[in-house]
Amino acid sequence: EGLIVSFGEMLIDFVPTVSGVSLAEAPGFLKAPGGAPANVAIAVARLGGRAAFVGKLGDDEFGRMLAAILRQNGVDDTGVTFDAGARTALAFVTLRADGEREFMFYRNPSADMLLTAAELNLDLIGKAAIFHYGSISLITEPCRSAHLKAMEVAKEAGALLSYDPNLRLPLWTSPEEARKQILSIWDEADIIKVSDVELEFLTGHDSVEDEVAAQLWRPSLKLLLVTLGDKGCKYYTKDFHGAVASFTVEQVDTTGAGDAFVGALLRRIVEDPSALQDEKKLREVLRFANACGAITTTKKGAIPSLPNVAEAMRLFESA
Ligand code: ATP
């Protein structure tokens, strides 16, 4: 079965030991490994798929801990390099009482930002059936060039390119720069997933109507997805579009829901790429991806709550 290679950042989120506090009020923090591309790789592996992660970590306790987490979850880490001079990235994240997420990043610069094109495991990337990435790795050099090179190598080798921008506005110099750079690689992707919030940000329209999503459509795309939280997702292809409702679950922490959704989607697409042209098949794939996203919201943290096949099928078959 085809290999899914995920490229980008892996880091540690520090989350307060109690909920509903600001970062300043938090009495203590727990380590929560994350980074969207790494979460996607683990999501794929947990669902029984073949996954690899490509990125750079600090040559420190945290970096070695993260690489071990990849391996423990069955993710190939032969594309992971270590920087002797920079630390593994950290982010302090809290969900405040007002429902807003507050981020504080330690990237000055962190190891992930220092990955160079010369350090890429091109052999591994060349074996990808699907190559997945976000936009955080586009923010600064030399990682940006490494990202573009990896995309090029994967594409030349015949991989489908999958893009989840995962907007983190505080990391960019300005909203305009974020929009411009995120859209600068839009035409290369075969599959793009955005959240409702990202759709609004990228188009400048305060709605998730089909006409708004159409602004993000390109003839080069095979599938555009918009995730809508508890409402499920919308899909657009050149021949058909529609929506697939999610499942009703008791939401505890949404962290990683989008990554679980993408991991499940890619896991199923790599198994049967014809789902990209067949609406009935695609709707089943998206129902499965919704189930995986929904399950991930029922537990705290991203990686601990990513479902295995049995858990996913239990919810998938419940409705
Ligand atoms: P993230 O919080 O990881 O950044 P995201 O904003 O990219 O996520 P969401 O739209 O929050 O993505 O969630 C992804 C998918 O997970 C949704 O499309 C949906 O299928 C499922 N999902 C998320 N939240 C819920 C929920 N409360 N109930 C049911 N399903 C959910």
Side-chain angles (χ1 to χ4, degrees):
E1 190 188 292
L3 176 68
I4 296 168
V5 176
S6 196
F7 174 94
E9 69 285 359
M10 183 173 198
L11 62 134
I12 304 180
D13 282 341
F14 281 83
V15 296
T17 49
V18 297
S19 50
V21 295
S22 69
L23 288 175
E25 290 160 350
F29 295 89
L30 287 171
K31 300 198 295 271
N39 292 344
V40 168
I42 294 173
V44 168
R46 200 158 291 168
L47 292 169
R50 284 180 60 215
F53 175 74
V54 174
K56 199 172 199 185
L57 300 168
D59 189 12
D60 51 35
E61 289 260 331
F62 286 159
R64 285 186 288 274
M65 179 191 98
L66 293 178
I69 288 170
L70 289 172
R71 289 191 301 273
Q72 283 154 16
N73 282 282
V75 175
D76 180 330
D77 70 339
T78 57
V80 173
T81 54
F82 293 89
D83 195 292
R87 293 293 190 208
T88 301
L90 308 180
F92 289 80
V93 189
T94 189
L95 189 64
R96 296 190 318 220
D98 63 8
E100 285 298 310
R101 264 208 279 187
E102 195 181 347
F103 289 93
M104 189 156 71
F105 295 96
Y106 281 70
R107 288 163 43 96
N108 37 354
S110 48
D112 57 297
M113 300 161 72
L114 299 175
L115 180 68
T116 66
E119 290 170 317
L120 291 171
N121 183 339
L122 297 181
D123 187 46
L124 178 68
I125 294 166
K127 289 196 187 106
I130 298 180
F131 183 72
H132 175 78
Y133 47 87
S135 71
I136 290 170
S137 41
L138 284 180
I139 298 175
T140 52
E141 291 291 359
C143 185
R144 178 186 169 79
S145 292
H147 179 143
L148 298 175
K149 171 78 177 172
M151 277 173 64
E152 189 187 310
V153 169
K155 194 160 201 153
E156 267 169 26
L160 284 174
L161 300 197
S162 160
Y163 183 24
D164 174 356
N166 236 300
L167 176 68
R168 290 286 176 269
L169 211 41
L171 295 181
W172 294 90
T173 50
S174 70
E176 295 70 34
E177 185 65 11
R179 196 176 290 114
K180 183 174 139 213
Q181 294 303 336
I182 286 172
L183 292 173
S184 72
I185 57 168
W186 211 255
D187 295 2
E188 313 302 322
D190 298 286
I191 300 171
I192 297 179
K193 174 255 170 198
V194 292
S195 67
D196 42 5
V197 175
E198 288 159 348
L199 174 66
E200 293 179 10
F201 173 78
L202 291 170
T203 61
H205 290 283
D206 189 14
S207 103
V208 291
E209 297 302 318
D210 293 343
E211 307 79 67
V212 175
Q215 292 182 26
L216 296 181
W217 179 258
R218 300 288 185 281
S220 49
L221 269 173
K222 295 191 170 68
L223 176 63
L224 173 65
L225 293 160
V226 182
T227 56
L228 308 167
D230 64 357
K231 288 189 265 318
C233 65
K234 288 184 161 192
Y235 58 91
Y236 303 86
T237 74
K238 96 179 142 49
D239 299 319
F240 49 81
H241 66 94
V244 181
S246 193
F247 297 80
T248 306
V249 293
E250 205 148 311
Q251 181 181 311
V252 173
D253 172 12
T254 63
T255 308
D259 305 329
F261 177 93
V262 171
L265 167 80
L266 299 182
R267 166 80 184 96
R268 297 295 294 267
I269 296 289
V270 85
E271 230 175 359
D272 184 6
S274 75
L276 292 169
Q277 286 99 269
D278 181 329
E279 185 168 16
K280 191 159 169 281
K281 278 187 188 174
L282 183 66
R283 291 184 61 88
E284 282 298 285
V285 167
L286 294 177
R287 235 170 69 80
F288 183 73
N290 281 342
C292 292
I295 290 168
T296 306
T297 71
T298 62
K299 281 187 241 163
K300 263 185 121 167
I303 292 171
S305 56
L306 296 169
N308 60 30
V309 177
E311 289 166 321
M313 288 314 287
R314 207 173 304 140
L315 184 61
F316 182 81
E317 285 166 355
S318 71

